[in-house]
Amino acid sequence: MAVIGHRTTLQEFVTSDWEGNGQHDGLDAVIMAIAEGSIRVQRQVQQASLADALGTTGETNVQGEIVQRLDTASSDIFVETLSQSGHIAVIGCEEIEKPVIVEGLVADGYIVLMDPLDGSSNIDVAVSIGSIFGIWQKKPGETVNEDSLLRPGNEQVAAAYVVYGSSTVLVLATKNNVCGFTLDSESGGFALTHPNIKIPADCPYYSTNEGNNKVLDEPTQKAITLLRDKYSQRYVGSLVADFHRNLLKGGIFAYPADQNRKEGRLRLMYEANPLGYVAEQAGGAASTGYERILDIIPQQLHQRTPLILGNKDVVEQTVSVIKGG
Ligand code: P6P
C-alpha cells in the first residue's frame, strides 16, 4: 500500500531537526545505528519460530535470568551497528556483564546503555516486545572506563525505544521533543508518524502486576487500590509495550518495590532512565516511589529500581500515597 504523500524519514529528521539547535555532533549517526539494528532485530523476532531461533541458550545472564537466544542475537546486532557508527565510546548492555569499550574512540564519543530485547520471555507467544536505549555523551577529554557508564539519567542527551508489535515503532526523545517513527516495510526505513508526542492529560489506564499485591507494603497497597478504583487495567507484561500504550493514550505503569524485590525488579540504567527521560520530555514523570528516577546517582551498571512511570499528575499522586502522605 503506497504511503499517501511524503512522510519525513528518520534520516531526514535527525539531519534537519537538529541543525542549529546545538545538538550533539554524531548523535544522528548513533540514532541511525539504533534504527539499522532494530530493523535487523525485527526480522529475527518475526522469523524466530520459523528459524527455530526461539528458546533459551541454556545460560543465565548477569541478572541470573535465563537467556533467550534472541536476547544474545539482539545484543550482538546492536553492539555491531553502534560500534560501526564511528561515534560510540562505550556500550553497557543488560546481556553483557562488563561494558564494551569501543576501539578507535572518537572525540565526541557517546555512551549507550541498552536493553537489546526487553520482554523476551514473550517472544514464544508472539506478544509485543522492545529494545531500549539511553544515550549520554562522554565528557571532553574523558578516557572512558567502567565508571564512565554510571551517569545519572538527568545527564542523558537522548533516549529511544523500539516496540516490535502490530507495527514496529521507534520513539526518539531529545531535549527538543519526543517523536515516533514507524517502519515502512515498502521503503525499509522509518517514517515520522507521531510528531511531538505528549502524554495525554486524561489517564484511562494503569499497568501493574496485580499478582504482587500481597507482597506490597501497606501504603503501596493503598496506592495500587486507588489506581484500581479509578482506571482500567492494561498489563502486557512487556515494559516497552505497556509504556508505549500509556505514552500515546495516557496511563501509569507501576512496578514498585515489594517484600521479594526490595530494590525493585526493573533496571535503572537501561530501562528506567531511558523511559523516564522519554516520559519527562513528553510531559510525564518517572519515580521510584520516593525520588525522581533521573536524579539517582548510579552505583552499579545492572542495579535495579522500583518504577512509577507515566502521566505526571497520577505519578505524583501515587508517589504521595506510597510515601505515606
Ligand atoms: P512480571 C520483562 O521480563 C520485564 O523485564 C519487563 O518487560 C516487564 O515490565 C516485567 O519484566 C514484567 O515482570 O514480574 O510482571 O512478569
Side-chain angles (χ1 to χ4, degrees), residues 107-156:
D108 62 355
Y110 290 90
I111 299 167
V112 175
L113 277 296
M114 67 178 181
D115 183 352
L117 202 58
D118 177 73
S120 54
S121 57
N122 289 311
I123 295 173
D124 294 9
V125 292
V127 166
S128 300
I129 53 180
S131 304
I132 310 171
F133 306 86
I135 305 170
W136 289 257
Q137 187 160 24
K138 78 167 193 174
K139 294 167 182 157
E142 176 185 8
T143 300
V144 291
N145 56 42
E146 294 187 15
D147 293 339
S148 302
L149 283 77
L150 301 180
R151 301 273 289 277
N154 57 32
E155 293 180 0
Q156 290 174 98

mmCIF file of all heavy atoms in Angstrom, residues 107-156:
data_model
loop_
_atom_site.group_PDB
_atom_site.id
_atom_site.type_symbol
_atom_site.label_atom_id
_atom_site.label_comp_id
_atom_site.label_asym_id
_atom_site.label_seq_id
_atom_site.Cartn_x
_atom_site.Cartn_y
_atom_site.Cartn_z
ATOM 1 N N ALA A 107 36.379 11.719 19.369
ATOM 2 C CA ALA A 107 36.336 12.821 20.354
ATOM 3 C C ALA A 107 34.940 12.988 20.922
ATOM 4 O O ALA A 107 34.747 13.195 22.115
ATOM 5 C CB ALA A 107 36.789 14.110 19.671
ATOM 6 N N ASP A 108 33.927 12.807 20.049
ATOM 7 C CA ASP A 108 32.561 13.090 20.544
ATOM 8 C C ASP A 108 31.875 11.801 20.976
ATOM 9 O O ASP A 108 30.684 11.625 20.793
ATOM 10 C CB ASP A 108 31.743 13.752 19.436
ATOM 11 C CG ASP A 108 31.587 12.809 18.225
ATOM 12 O OD1 ASP A 108 32.178 11.719 18.229
ATOM 13 O OD2 ASP A 108 30.870 13.187 17.280
ATOM 14 N N GLY A 109 32.643 10.868 21.554
ATOM 15 C CA GLY A 109 32.074 9.552 21.814
ATOM 16 C C GLY A 109 30.853 9.574 22.701
ATOM 17 O O GLY A 109 30.766 10.341 23.676
ATOM 18 N N TYR A 110 29.866 8.769 22.325
ATOM 19 C CA TYR A 110 28.641 8.634 23.104
ATOM 20 C C TYR A 110 28.702 7.358 23.938
ATOM 21 O O TYR A 110 29.401 6.402 23.607
ATOM 22 C CB TYR A 110 27.421 8.632 22.172
ATOM 23 C CG TYR A 110 27.192 9.990 21.561
ATOM 24 C CD1 TYR A 110 27.795 10.338 20.356
ATOM 25 C CD2 TYR A 110 26.437 10.951 22.215
ATOM 26 C CE1 TYR A 110 27.634 11.599 19.812
ATOM 27 C CE2 TYR A 110 26.259 12.215 21.680
ATOM 28 C CZ TYR A 110 26.866 12.534 20.486
ATOM 29 O OH TYR A 110 26.708 13.793 19.958
ATOM 30 N N ILE A 111 27.949 7.412 25.008
ATOM 31 C CA ILE A 111 27.822 6.281 25.925
ATOM 32 C C ILE A 111 26.403 5.769 25.777
ATOM 33 O O ILE A 111 25.450 6.550 25.985
ATOM 34 C CB ILE A 111 28.081 6.742 27.376
ATOM 35 C CG1 ILE A 111 29.500 7.294 27.519
ATOM 36 C CG2 ILE A 111 27.825 5.598 28.364
ATOM 37 C CD1 ILE A 111 29.730 8.041 28.822
ATOM 38 N N VAL A 112 26.230 4.541 25.365
ATOM 39 C CA VAL A 112 24.885 3.983 25.166
ATOM 40 C C VAL A 112 24.661 2.833 26.150
ATOM 41 O O VAL A 112 25.471 1.920 26.251
ATOM 42 C CB VAL A 112 24.695 3.475 23.725
ATOM 43 C CG1 VAL A 112 23.334 2.781 23.573
ATOM 44 C CG2 VAL A 112 24.794 4.637 22.732
ATOM 45 N N LEU A 113 23.565 2.942 26.897
ATOM 46 C CA LEU A 113 23.120 1.867 27.796
ATOM 47 C C LEU A 113 21.866 1.258 27.182
ATOM 48 O O LEU A 113 20.928 2.006 26.848
ATOM 49 C CB LEU A 113 22.799 2.441 29.171
ATOM 50 C CG LEU A 113 23.920 2.676 30.188
ATOM 51 C CD1 LEU A 113 24.544 1.360 30.575
ATOM 52 C CD2 LEU A 113 24.977 3.633 29.702
ATOM 53 N N MET A 114 21.872 -0.068 27.008
ATOM 54 C CA MET A 114 20.725 -0.639 26.289
ATOM 55 C C MET A 114 20.222 -1.952 26.887
ATOM 56 O O MET A 114 20.964 -2.727 27.487
ATOM 57 C CB MET A 114 21.123 -0.884 24.825
ATOM 58 C CG MET A 114 22.170 -1.951 24.624
ATOM 59 S SD MET A 114 22.483 -2.162 22.835
ATOM 60 C CE MET A 114 23.714 -3.469 22.881
ATOM 61 N N ASP A 115 18.921 -2.140 26.736
ATOM 62 C CA ASP A 115 18.287 -3.445 26.919
ATOM 63 C C ASP A 115 17.912 -3.874 25.511
ATOM 64 O O ASP A 115 16.920 -3.402 24.961
ATOM 65 C CB ASP A 115 17.050 -3.322 27.819
ATOM 66 C CG ASP A 115 16.412 -4.686 28.070
ATOM 67 O OD1 ASP A 115 16.841 -5.666 27.424
ATOM 68 O OD2 ASP A 115 15.474 -4.767 28.891
ATOM 69 N N PRO A 116 18.704 -4.746 24.885
ATOM 70 C CA PRO A 116 18.521 -5.013 23.465
ATOM 71 C C PRO A 116 17.215 -5.703 23.106
ATOM 72 O O PRO A 116 16.698 -5.513 21.998
ATOM 73 C CB PRO A 116 19.726 -5.902 23.102
ATOM 74 C CG PRO A 116 20.136 -6.528 24.396
ATOM 75 C CD PRO A 116 19.820 -5.528 25.463
ATOM 76 N N LEU A 117 16.672 -6.479 24.043
ATOM 77 C CA LEU A 117 15.387 -7.123 23.767
ATOM 78 C C LEU A 117 14.655 -7.338 25.095
ATOM 79 O O LEU A 117 14.844 -8.335 25.780
ATOM 80 C CB LEU A 117 15.575 -8.450 23.034
ATOM 81 C CG LEU A 117 14.358 -8.952 22.247
ATOM 82 C CD1 LEU A 117 13.917 -7.923 21.209
ATOM 83 C CD2 LEU A 117 14.661 -10.261 21.550
ATOM 84 N N ASP A 118 13.815 -6.348 25.428
ATOM 85 C CA ASP A 118 13.108 -6.402 26.706
ATOM 86 C C ASP A 118 11.781 -7.154 26.537
ATOM 87 O O ASP A 118 11.053 -6.925 25.579
ATOM 88 C CB ASP A 118 12.828 -4.983 27.191
ATOM 89 C CG ASP A 118 12.032 -5.013 28.486
ATOM 90 O OD1 ASP A 118 12.592 -5.353 29.534
ATOM 91 O OD2 ASP A 118 10.801 -4.768 28.425
ATOM 92 N N GLY A 119 11.524 -8.046 27.506
ATOM 93 C CA GLY A 119 10.277 -8.804 27.431
ATOM 94 C C GLY A 119 10.419 -10.070 26.616
ATOM 95 O O GLY A 119 9.433 -10.633 26.137
ATOM 96 N N SER A 120 11.657 -10.525 26.462
ATOM 97 C CA SER A 120 11.903 -11.623 25.503
ATOM 98 C C SER A 120 11.188 -12.918 25.879
ATOM 99 O O SER A 120 10.960 -13.764 25.025
ATOM 100 C CB SER A 120 13.403 -11.890 25.371
ATOM 101 O OG SER A 120 13.955 -12.115 26.655
ATOM 102 N N SER A 121 10.775 -13.017 27.153
ATOM 103 C CA SER A 121 10.032 -14.239 27.519
ATOM 104 C C SER A 121 8.675 -14.267 26.796
ATOM 105 O O SER A 121 8.000 -15.291 26.760
ATOM 106 C CB SER A 121 9.824 -14.280 29.040
ATOM 107 O OG SER A 121 9.146 -13.102 29.448
ATOM 108 N N ASN A 122 8.289 -13.123 26.194
ATOM 109 C CA ASN A 122 7.001 -13.085 25.474
ATOM 110 C C ASN A 122 7.129 -13.493 24.011
ATOM 111 O O ASN A 122 6.124 -13.607 23.295
ATOM 112 C CB ASN A 122 6.431 -11.659 25.530
ATOM 113 C CG ASN A 122 5.947 -11.295 26.927
ATOM 114 O OD1 ASN A 122 5.214 -12.049 27.545
ATOM 115 N ND2 ASN A 122 6.377 -10.149 27.431
ATOM 116 N N ILE A 123 8.368 -13.662 23.558
ATOM 117 C CA ILE A 123 8.579 -13.935 22.118
ATOM 118 C C ILE A 123 7.848 -15.215 21.715
ATOM 119 O O ILE A 123 7.145 -15.269 20.702
ATOM 120 C CB ILE A 123 10.080 -14.097 21.821
ATOM 121 C CG1 ILE A 123 10.825 -12.792 22.064
ATOM 122 C CG2 ILE A 123 10.284 -14.544 20.375
ATOM 123 C CD1 ILE A 123 12.332 -12.945 21.959
ATOM 124 N N ASP A 124 7.963 -16.247 22.563
ATOM 125 C CA ASP A 124 7.422 -17.574 22.191
ATOM 126 C C ASP A 124 5.908 -17.536 22.005
ATOM 127 O O ASP A 124 5.332 -18.405 21.378
ATOM 128 C CB ASP A 124 7.759 -18.607 23.277
ATOM 129 C CG ASP A 124 9.264 -18.851 23.363
ATOM 130 O OD1 ASP A 124 10.008 -18.104 22.709
ATOM 131 O OD2 ASP A 124 9.671 -19.769 24.089
ATOM 132 N N VAL A 125 5.266 -16.484 22.558
ATOM 133 C CA VAL A 125 3.802 -16.404 22.441
ATOM 134 C C VAL A 125 3.371 -15.189 21.624
ATOM 135 O O VAL A 125 2.237 -14.720 21.719
ATOM 136 C CB VAL A 125 3.150 -16.382 23.841
ATOM 137 C CG1 VAL A 125 3.352 -17.728 24.537
ATOM 138 C CG2 VAL A 125 3.703 -15.246 24.697
ATOM 139 N N ALA A 126 4.316 -14.649 20.839
ATOM 140 C CA ALA A 126 4.038 -13.596 19.841
ATOM 141 C C ALA A 126 3.453 -12.333 20.458
ATOM 142 O O ALA A 126 2.628 -11.643 19.836
ATOM 143 C CB ALA A 126 3.112 -14.122 18.736
ATOM 144 N N VAL A 127 3.893 -12.015 21.694
ATOM 145 C CA VAL A 127 3.453 -10.767 22.357
ATOM 146 C C VAL A 127 4.499 -9.681 22.097
ATOM 147 O O VAL A 127 5.697 -9.975 21.971
ATOM 148 C CB VAL A 127 3.274 -11.020 23.874
ATOM 149 C CG1 VAL A 127 3.147 -9.723 24.653
ATOM 150 C CG2 VAL A 127 2.048 -11.905 24.106
ATOM 151 N N SER A 128 4.039 -8.420 21.986
ATOM 152 C CA SER A 128 4.946 -7.309 21.685
ATOM 153 C C SER A 128 6.117 -7.243 22.654
ATOM 154 O O SER A 128 5.945 -7.450 23.857
ATOM 155 C CB SER A 128 4.176 -5.971 21.767
ATOM 156 O OG SER A 128 3.125 -5.959 20.837
ATOM 157 N N ILE A 129 7.297 -6.943 22.116
ATOM 158 C CA ILE A 129 8.499 -6.768 22.931
ATOM 159 C C ILE A 129 9.217 -5.514 22.429
ATOM 160 O O ILE A 129 8.702 -4.823 21.541
ATOM 161 C CB ILE A 129 9.419 -8.008 22.835
ATOM 162 C CG1 ILE A 129 9.716 -8.333 21.378
ATOM 163 C CG2 ILE A 129 8.765 -9.197 23.523
ATOM 164 C CD1 ILE A 129 10.624 -9.534 21.203
ATOM 165 N N GLY A 130 10.386 -5.207 23.024
ATOM 166 C CA GLY A 130 11.023 -3.958 22.607
ATOM 167 C C GLY A 130 12.508 -3.900 22.913
ATOM 168 O O GLY A 130 13.068 -4.770 23.578
ATOM 169 N N SER A 131 13.140 -2.828 22.414
ATOM 170 C CA SER A 131 14.564 -2.514 22.683
ATOM 171 C C SER A 131 14.603 -1.118 23.274
ATOM 172 O O SER A 131 13.838 -0.241 22.857
ATOM 173 C CB SER A 131 15.380 -2.544 21.384
ATOM 174 O OG SER A 131 15.249 -3.793 20.713
ATOM 175 N N ILE A 132 15.478 -0.894 24.267
ATOM 176 C CA ILE A 132 15.506 0.380 24.996
ATOM 177 C C ILE A 132 16.934 0.924 25.033
ATOM 178 O O ILE A 132 17.886 0.153 25.260
ATOM 179 C CB ILE A 132 15.011 0.202 26.446
ATOM 180 C CG1 ILE A 132 13.678 -0.563 26.491
ATOM 181 C CG2 ILE A 132 14.861 1.559 27.149
ATOM 182 C CD1 ILE A 132 13.238 -0.961 27.899
ATOM 183 N N PHE A 133 17.095 2.255 24.811
ATOM 184 C CA PHE A 133 18.420 2.865 24.733
ATOM 185 C C PHE A 133 18.472 4.189 25.485
ATOM 186 O O PHE A 133 17.627 5.063 25.256
ATOM 187 C CB PHE A 133 18.803 3.147 23.274
ATOM 188 C CG PHE A 133 18.698 1.936 22.380
ATOM 189 C CD1 PHE A 133 17.491 1.607 21.787
ATOM 190 C CD2 PHE A 133 19.793 1.125 22.167
ATOM 191 C CE1 PHE A 133 17.375 0.481 20.980
ATOM 192 C CE2 PHE A 133 19.696 0.000 21.360
ATOM 193 C CZ PHE A 133 18.478 -0.328 20.769
ATOM 194 N N GLY A 134 19.449 4.317 26.375
ATOM 195 C CA GLY A 134 19.749 5.626 26.980
ATOM 196 C C GLY A 134 21.069 6.112 26.391
ATOM 197 O O GLY A 134 21.989 5.314 26.191
ATOM 198 N N ILE A 135 21.157 7.415 26.089
ATOM 199 C CA ILE A 135 22.346 7.941 25.395
ATOM 200 C C ILE A 135 22.920 9.112 26.175
ATOM 201 O O ILE A 135 22.213 10.101 26.421
ATOM 202 C CB ILE A 135 21.997 8.386 23.957
ATOM 203 C CG1 ILE A 135 21.341 7.232 23.177
ATOM 204 C CG2 ILE A 135 23.260 8.866 23.223
ATOM 205 C CD1 ILE A 135 20.740 7.648 21.843
ATOM 206 N N TRP A 136 24.171 8.985 26.577
ATOM 207 C CA TRP A 136 24.900 10.055 27.246
ATOM 208 C C TRP A 136 26.091 10.423 26.366
ATOM 209 O O TRP A 136 26.475 9.681 25.468
ATOM 210 C CB TRP A 136 25.429 9.570 28.608
ATOM 211 C CG TRP A 136 24.434 9.354 29.700
ATOM 212 C CD1 TRP A 136 24.183 10.184 30.767
ATOM 213 C CD2 TRP A 136 23.538 8.225 29.874
ATOM 214 N NE1 TRP A 136 23.222 9.632 31.593
ATOM 215 C CE2 TRP A 136 22.806 8.442 31.066
ATOM 216 C CE3 TRP A 136 23.287 7.055 29.151
ATOM 217 C CZ2 TRP A 136 21.850 7.547 31.547
ATOM 218 C CZ3 TRP A 136 22.332 6.166 29.617
ATOM 219 C CH2 TRP A 136 21.621 6.405 30.797
ATOM 220 N N GLN A 137 26.683 11.595 26.595
ATOM 221 C CA GLN A 137 27.903 11.931 25.855
ATOM 222 C C GLN A 137 29.067 11.968 26.818
ATOM 223 O O GLN A 137 28.956 12.522 27.920
ATOM 224 C CB GLN A 137 27.762 13.295 25.156
ATOM 225 C CG GLN A 137 28.945 13.604 24.235
ATOM 226 C CD GLN A 137 28.629 14.662 23.216
ATOM 227 O OE1 GLN A 137 27.725 15.478 23.419
ATOM 228 N NE2 GLN A 137 29.340 14.634 22.078
ATOM 229 N N LYS A 138 30.181 11.349 26.440
ATOM 230 C CA LYS A 138 31.321 11.326 27.349
ATOM 231 C C LYS A 138 31.812 12.750 27.542
ATOM 232 O O LYS A 138 31.583 13.643 26.715
ATOM 233 C CB LYS A 138 32.425 10.408 26.815
ATOM 234 C CG LYS A 138 33.273 10.978 25.716
ATOM 235 C CD LYS A 138 34.522 10.112 25.481
ATOM 236 C CE LYS A 138 35.513 10.862 24.607
ATOM 237 N NZ LYS A 138 36.773 10.148 24.459
ATOM 238 N N LYS A 139 32.451 12.973 28.682
ATOM 239 C CA LYS A 139 32.923 14.320 28.992
ATOM 240 C C LYS A 139 34.166 14.624 28.154
ATOM 241 O O LYS A 139 34.948 13.726 27.855
ATOM 242 C CB LYS A 139 33.216 14.413 30.490
ATOM 243 C CG LYS A 139 31.929 14.269 31.329
ATOM 244 C CD LYS A 139 32.198 14.051 32.788
ATOM 245 C CE LYS A 139 30.856 13.866 33.549
ATOM 246 N NZ LYS A 139 31.033 13.138 34.816
ATOM 247 N N PRO A 140 34.353 15.899 27.737
ATOM 248 C CA PRO A 140 35.508 16.251 26.888
ATOM 249 C C PRO A 140 36.817 15.754 27.498
ATOM 250 O O PRO A 140 37.071 15.968 28.682
ATOM 251 C CB PRO A 140 35.473 17.785 26.852
ATOM 252 C CG PRO A 140 34.040 18.142 27.118
ATOM 253 C CD PRO A 140 33.531 17.087 28.068
ATOM 254 N N GLY A 141 37.581 15.015 26.687
ATOM 255 C CA GLY A 141 38.893 14.553 27.150
ATOM 256 C C GLY A 141 38.830 13.351 28.068
ATOM 257 O O GLY A 141 39.855 12.836 28.510
ATOM 258 N N GLU A 142 37.603 12.869 28.330
ATOM 259 C CA GLU A 142 37.457 11.736 29.259
ATOM 260 C C GLU A 142 38.003 10.461 28.638
ATOM 261 O O GLU A 142 37.746 10.166 27.488
ATOM 262 C CB GLU A 142 35.979 11.543 29.587
ATOM 263 C CG GLU A 142 35.685 10.328 30.484
ATOM 264 C CD GLU A 142 34.197 10.094 30.688
ATOM 265 O OE1 GLU A 142 33.387 10.778 30.011
ATOM 266 O OE2 GLU A 142 33.831 9.241 31.514
ATOM 267 N N THR A 143 38.786 9.719 29.392
ATOM 268 C CA THR A 143 39.183 8.374 28.978
ATOM 269 C C THR A 143 38.164 7.422 29.585
ATOM 270 O O THR A 143 38.071 7.297 30.805
ATOM 271 C CB THR A 143 40.592 8.030 29.503
ATOM 272 O OG1 THR A 143 41.520 8.991 28.964
ATOM 273 C CG2 THR A 143 40.991 6.612 29.071
ATOM 274 N N VAL A 144 37.387 6.807 28.749
ATOM 275 C CA VAL A 144 36.261 6.027 29.257
ATOM 276 C C VAL A 144 36.745 4.753 29.940
ATOM 277 O O VAL A 144 37.729 4.136 29.544
ATOM 278 C CB VAL A 144 35.271 5.667 28.125
ATOM 279 C CG1 VAL A 144 34.552 6.907 27.635
ATOM 280 C CG2 VAL A 144 35.949 4.918 26.995
ATOM 281 N N ASN A 145 36.036 4.423 31.017
ATOM 282 C CA ASN A 145 36.250 3.145 31.704
ATOM 283 C C ASN A 145 34.905 2.687 32.236
ATOM 284 O O ASN A 145 33.872 3.303 31.931
ATOM 285 C CB ASN A 145 37.275 3.311 32.835
ATOM 286 C CG ASN A 145 36.836 4.398 33.817
ATOM 287 O OD1 ASN A 145 35.646 4.484 34.173
ATOM 288 N ND2 ASN A 145 37.775 5.244 34.216
ATOM 289 N N GLU A 146 34.900 1.651 33.051
ATOM 290 C CA GLU A 146 33.622 1.099 33.515
ATOM 291 C C GLU A 146 32.790 2.155 34.229
ATOM 292 O O GLU A 146 31.563 2.198 34.090
ATOM 293 C CB GLU A 146 33.872 -0.095 34.437
ATOM 294 C CG GLU A 146 34.494 -1.277 33.699
ATOM 295 C CD GLU A 146 34.565 -2.521 34.592
ATOM 296 O OE1 GLU A 146 33.895 -2.551 35.642
ATOM 297 O OE2 GLU A 146 35.286 -3.449 34.213
ATOM 298 N N ASP A 147 33.453 3.029 34.979
ATOM 299 C CA ASP A 147 32.693 4.015 35.753
ATOM 300 C C ASP A 147 32.083 5.097 34.864
ATOM 301 O O ASP A 147 31.170 5.809 35.290
ATOM 302 C CB ASP A 147 33.587 4.666 36.814
ATOM 303 C CG ASP A 147 34.010 3.651 37.886
ATOM 304 O OD1 ASP A 147 33.300 2.614 38.009
ATOM 305 O OD2 ASP A 147 35.040 3.868 38.556
ATOM 306 N N SER A 148 32.542 5.189 33.607
ATOM 307 C CA SER A 148 32.004 6.226 32.702
ATOM 308 C C SER A 148 30.513 6.031 32.462
ATOM 309 O O SER A 148 29.802 6.965 32.109
ATOM 310 C CB SER A 148 32.734 6.183 31.355
ATOM 311 O OG SER A 148 34.115 6.357 31.522
ATOM 312 N N LEU A 149 30.059 4.780 32.659
ATOM 313 C CA LEU A 149 28.646 4.496 32.367
ATOM 314 C C LEU A 149 27.742 4.919 33.528
ATOM 315 O O LEU A 149 26.535 5.033 33.353
ATOM 316 C CB LEU A 149 28.440 2.997 32.102
ATOM 317 C CG LEU A 149 28.881 2.494 30.727
ATOM 318 C CD1 LEU A 149 30.386 2.353 30.665
ATOM 319 C CD2 LEU A 149 28.230 1.171 30.409
ATOM 320 N N LEU A 150 28.309 5.132 34.695
ATOM 321 C CA LEU A 150 27.475 5.366 35.875
ATOM 322 C C LEU A 150 27.103 6.844 35.971
ATOM 323 O O LEU A 150 27.497 7.555 36.887
ATOM 324 C CB LEU A 150 28.194 4.880 37.133
ATOM 325 C CG LEU A 150 28.555 3.378 37.126
ATOM 326 C CD1 LEU A 150 29.273 2.987 38.407
ATOM 327 C CD2 LEU A 150 27.317 2.503 36.898
ATOM 328 N N ARG A 151 26.318 7.284 34.999
ATOM 329 C CA ARG A 151 25.892 8.688 34.920
ATOM 330 C C ARG A 151 24.404 8.758 35.290
ATOM 331 O O ARG A 151 23.613 7.896 34.899
ATOM 332 C CB ARG A 151 26.085 9.210 33.491
ATOM 333 C CG ARG A 151 27.529 9.144 32.978
ATOM 334 C CD ARG A 151 28.290 10.363 33.358
ATOM 335 N NE ARG A 151 27.843 11.527 32.601
ATOM 336 C CZ ARG A 151 28.238 11.852 31.368
ATOM 337 N NH1 ARG A 151 29.071 11.040 30.724
ATOM 338 N NH2 ARG A 151 27.802 12.934 30.764
ATOM 339 N N PRO A 152 24.001 9.793 36.018
ATOM 340 C CA PRO A 152 22.572 9.924 36.336
ATOM 341 C C PRO A 152 21.746 10.150 35.073
ATOM 342 O O PRO A 152 22.231 10.708 34.085
ATOM 343 C CB PRO A 152 22.514 11.134 37.269
ATOM 344 C CG PRO A 152 23.762 11.895 37.017
ATOM 345 C CD PRO A 152 24.802 10.892 36.601
ATOM 346 N N GLY A 153 20.496 9.741 35.121
ATOM 347 C CA GLY A 153 19.616 9.855 33.955
ATOM 348 C C GLY A 153 19.409 11.283 33.500
ATOM 349 O O GLY A 153 19.124 11.549 32.336
ATOM 350 N N ASN A 154 19.593 12.245 34.457
ATOM 351 C CA ASN A 154 19.359 13.649 34.072
ATOM 352 C C ASN A 154 20.478 14.203 33.195
ATOM 353 O O ASN A 154 20.401 15.340 32.747
ATOM 354 C CB ASN A 154 19.160 14.530 35.314
ATOM 355 C CG ASN A 154 20.345 14.464 36.281
ATOM 356 O OD1 ASN A 154 21.495 14.287 35.874
ATOM 357 N ND2 ASN A 154 20.064 14.587 37.561
ATOM 358 N N GLU A 155 21.541 13.370 32.944
ATOM 359 C CA GLU A 155 22.615 13.804 32.030
ATOM 360 C C GLU A 155 22.478 13.176 30.642
ATOM 361 O O GLU A 155 23.352 13.350 29.790
ATOM 362 C CB GLU A 155 23.983 13.468 32.637
ATOM 363 C CG GLU A 155 24.299 14.274 33.892
ATOM 364 C CD GLU A 155 25.662 13.941 34.494
ATOM 365 O OE1 GLU A 155 26.373 13.083 33.936
ATOM 366 O OE2 GLU A 155 26.003 14.508 35.551
ATOM 367 N N GLN A 156 21.390 12.433 30.399
ATOM 368 C CA GLN A 156 21.174 11.866 29.054
ATOM 369 C C GLN A 156 21.000 12.997 28.048
ATOM 370 O O GLN A 156 20.392 14.024 28.370
ATOM 371 C CB GLN A 156 19.928 10.964 29.044
ATOM 372 C CG GLN A 156 20.102 9.672 29.820
ATOM 373 C CD GLN A 156 18.816 8.868 29.906
ATOM 374 O OE1 GLN A 156 18.600 7.927 29.143
ATOM 375 N NE2 GLN A 156 17.961 9.232 30.836
#
